[in-house]
Amino acid sequence: MTDISTQLKRKVMRRVYSVYALRIIFSRTALEGGLLLVAGVWIASYVSLGNVLLNMPSPAEVTSFINFAKSAFTQTEFIVQILTLLALSALVLFVLDIGRSIREISLRAKSA
């Protein structure tokens, strides 16, 4: 009798762990992070990021930095523009989700 209940417990817990792992893997934040990573790698295959960083003015010089970014974006290939917009969108959503998660954790800590 104990053997059957142990087997049943293992089978149920294996399914619980599988569902938990799938929820982590396919969570919104994980998908956004993965999208950001894929877009970044794809951009790096088209653009020499080292040269961009060498030519980029200091971010402290706001107007020249904005002009550089605008010029770099408009004078690149269409696919890189799309990938850049995709990466920026994923980054914004990723940061918002992390902020939401931190807020939820802090609210749970306060209520506990």
Side-chain angles (χ1 to χ4, degrees):
M1 192 74 140
T2 310
D3 190 38
I4 293 174
S5 92
T6 303
Q7 288 177 347
L8 181 62
K9 181 180 176 182
R10 283 185 183 161
K11 187 175 182 179
V12 168
M13 290 308 294
R14 193 174 308 125
R15 288 185 181 170
V16 168
Y17 292 140
S18 299
V19 169
Y20 179 72
L22 288 175
R23 286 185 68 194
I24 289 173
I25 292 169
F26 292 110
S27 74
R28 184 175 167 176
T29 307
L31 290 175
E32 290 161 356
L35 179 63
L36 180 61
L37 180 69
V38 167
V41 168
W42 207 352
I43 288 170
S45 72
Y46 280 95
V47 177
S48 173
L49 296 176
N51 289 337
V52 172
L53 293 174
L54 283 174
N55 294 324
M56 182 176 71
S58 170
E61 301 170 18
V62 178
T63 54
S64 47
F65 182 77
I66 290 173
N67 288 336
F68 175 80
K70 209 184 310 182
S71 174
F73 183 77
T74 57
Q75 294 179 15
T76 191
E77 295 178 28
F78 182 69
I79 187 72
V80 176
Q81 291 174 343
I82 296 297
L83 290 170
T84 301
L85 293 175
L86 183 68
L88 288 174
S89 300
L91 179 64
V92 167
L93 293 173
F94 187 70
V95 168
L96 289 174
D97 279 349
I98 289 174
R100 188 177 309 121
S101 296
I102 291 171
R103 190 171 47 251
E104 287 176 10
I105 289 170
S106 66
L107 288 175
R108 288 181 192 162
K110 287 180 184 178
S111 67

